Amino acid sequence: MANVIITGGSRGIGAAAVTQFAAKGHRVFFLYEKNHTAAQAVAEKTGATALCCDVSDGAAVTAAFQKIGDVDILICNAGI
């Protein structure tokens, strides 16, 4: 089981990636910025952990990664 982080995971391609990795039994974290409702829905559907984070803010990204620990797979999907 891998630790997977997906940026922009609350909708579209990111949400699809969250769904696929979670279905395979991986421990999935996804970052999102604004849409709390969509993020909550993805988290409830998949069991993944949603973390609100502006990926253009280096300090916010560092703080998010400190909560997660080791990273095995990183998918940079957020559009900035």
Side-chain angles (χ1 to χ4, degrees):
M1 177 167 52
N3 274 351
V4 180
I5 300 176
I6 301 168
T7 66
S10 66
R11 59 192 178 94
I13 293 170
V18 170
T19 300
Q20 291 298 310
F21 278 98
K24 294 183 188 293
H26 297 292
R27 187 171 172 218
V28 181
F29 300 86
F30 66 95
L31 307 182
Y32 72 98
E33 185 180 7
K34 297 175 185 160
N35 195 333
H36 302 292
T37 303
Q40 182 178 4
V42 171
E44 288 175 2
K45 174 184 172 188
T46 63
T49 301
L51 298 170
C52 187
C53 177
D54 177 356
V55 296
S56 69
D57 178 347
V61 172
T62 298
F65 274 66
Q66 287 175 341
K67 292 177 185 175
I68 296 166
D70 292 335
V71 177
D72 299 304
I73 300 170
L74 172 63
I75 299 175
C76 298
N77 175 68
I80 300 177

